[in-house]
Amino acid sequence: MTKATLQHTGMCQFPVRHNNLVIGGIALSRLAQRVGSTPFYAYDRQLISNRVAELRQAMPADLKIHYAMKANPMPAVVQHMAGIVDGLDLASAGEMKVALDTPMHPENISLAGPGKRPQELSQAIAANITINIESFHELETIAQLSETTGIQAHVSVRINPAFELKASGMKMGGGPKQFGIDEEQLPAVLKRIKALNLDFNGFHIYSGSQNLSADAISESQQKSINLAISLAGHCPAPLKKLNIGGGFGIPYFPGDTALNIQQVGDTLAESMVPFKTEQPQADVIIELGRYLVGEAGIYVCQVIDKKISRGQTFLVANGGLHHHLAVSGNFGQVIRKNYPVAIGNKMAVTEKELVSIVGPLCTPLDILADKMELPVAEIGDFVVVYQSGAYGYTASPIQFLSHPVCTEILV
Ligand SMILES: *Cc1c(COP(=O)(O)O)cnc(C)c1O
């Protein structure tokens, strides 16, 4: 493994052997042979396990760690995750099906999202999972379904807090939002829950995604805990669960620095003390998607053409934004920046050239890398996009331009 290669890509979670990136202990060229065709996504199960273990080390011992499935709902990944986390958080009945196929106990599964359809709610009630209520109307629908089916529903209230998560890539709380019920309306909603025959579990507060600032996350966690303390007097029953969200980010671009989870953990341990004193029976939960899987996955495609247009070299790949919208810069980014990219079978090649890597779609949006310095690549070489384990395949417009789908593997 050459130092220069690592500095070049900035990524070091995967080792390098004889010019090849190694994933799950297998050299990329060999792995591609095994898969049989490109493009594909590959996720490394050991890296996922390591990530969860490191997180547990840094967090308070009694904190529960949940996996938010929408980041990567591949069934094999969710199965693996079910064995190493304390719960699964879902955003649809489709995700619920995958979650219920795992050994995870329904008591540790919850469903969130605005606009849950009555059928989804009734499926969730029958499954005995916790539903995070996001509106007054939804509350009444749940109560009715619970009554007609004769199954008591387990509910938490998702709160849209008055505060915002600072420095976040995507804000999902604070101000007017479609998510959750405004903090100011909580006394009224809790009073209504008390009048209905529902099993009240607690609160869910999720403020945003892709945050690399330990200070901002800690501040939001502390405010969430204080909010729960201030509302405890209005609750119909003692709190069983307080889900304070997640939002832990991963570095994608030059200048991004990894989140300091030890700092987050230490501060959270302090913030939890007054809550644990008042509500010793309640579990405090964080729910993470991207942070647990994002760095463990790569997207792999192959160069199928190389051409020069007015002095600029283009590598045309057989994969693109239809499989990986985020790498093209069209998933939550304001200004497009290059994801870390490598030529996965030329990791130690020192001869470099400036190239743009584009996908096969007939649109100028289909860019994998814009004017990047990479080892000189030829037709057949493997283009690897790092940091692709979260919000990759299922967050992409797979049908756009009717190209072939791609494979996902867990190694
Ligand atoms: C999307 C989402 C998550 C996961 O967010 P990450 O940034 O991937 O950790 C967690 N909880 C809820 C409610 C979500 O909508």
Side-chain angles (χ1 to χ4, degrees), residues 68 70-71 112 158 172 204 206 209-210 247 287-290 391:
K70 81 170 190 279
R158 179 167 181 182
M172 289 174 67
H204 174 218
Y206 177 78
S209 186
Q210 183 48 20
E287 52 175 3
L288 304 174
R290 187 192 314 267
Y391 304 108

Side-chain angles (χ1 to χ4, degrees), residues 230-380:
S230 74
L231 289 169
H234 296 278
C235 290
L239 288 178
K240 293 183 210 166
K241 293 173 189 170
L242 172 59
N243 183 334
I244 56 170
F248 294 18
I250 61 170
Y252 287 97
F253 310 117
D256 282 356
T257 39
L259 176 65
N260 183 342
I261 50 164
Q262 193 59 56
Q263 188 189 328
V264 173
D266 292 347
T267 317
L268 181 56
E270 285 172 37
S271 306
M272 275 167 63
V273 172
F275 179 77
K276 280 282 173 185
T277 310
E278 283 193 33
Q279 307 277 335
Q281 74 293 335
D283 279 336
V284 180
I285 301 165
I286 55 169
E287 52 175 3
L288 304 174
R290 187 192 314 267
Y291 189 78
L292 301 186
V293 289
E295 298 189 55
I298 55 171
Y299 175 64
V300 182
C301 54
Q302 261 173 305
V303 179
I304 52 171
D305 201 351
K306 182 171 185 173
K307 59 195 269 191
I308 295 170
S309 167
R310 306 217 159 93
Q312 196 179 329
T313 303
F314 288 90
L315 301 176
V316 185
N318 62 354
L321 76 76
H322 54 312
H323 299 156
H324 199 328
L325 184 64
V327 73
S328 76
N330 292 290
F331 187 72
Q333 286 139 267
V334 182
I335 300 163
R336 189 188 177 284
K337 293 183 201 159
N338 284 327
Y339 263 52
V341 166
I343 304 300
N345 58 317
K346 293 201 165 155
M347 296 302 291
V349 169
T350 48
E351 195 194 347
K352 303 272 169 70
E353 68 179 335
L354 193 71
V355 292
S356 288
I357 309 178
V358 298
L361 304 193
C362 203
T363 156
L365 298 177
D366 197 8
I367 300 167
L368 290 128
D370 187 27
K371 299 188 193 76
M372 267 180 101
E373 178 117 314
L374 288 166
V376 176
E378 304 303 333
I379 291 170

Side-chain angles (χ1 to χ4, degrees), residues 195-260:
L196 297 163
N197 180 28
L198 297 170
D199 173 41
F200 174 75
N201 273 245
F203 299 122
H204 174 218
I205 303 160
Y206 177 78
S207 310
S209 186
Q210 183 48 20
N211 203 310
L212 291 171
S213 161
D215 288 339
I217 289 173
S218 294
E219 186 188 318
S220 152
Q221 290 181 332
Q222 169 138 47
K223 285 180 175 168
S224 299
I225 289 169
N226 290 345
L227 178 57
I229 293 173
S230 74
L231 289 169
H234 296 278
C235 290
L239 288 178
K240 293 183 210 166
K241 293 173 189 170
L242 172 59
N243 183 334
I244 56 170
F248 294 18
I250 61 170
Y252 287 97
F253 310 117
D256 282 356
T257 39
L259 176 65
N260 183 342

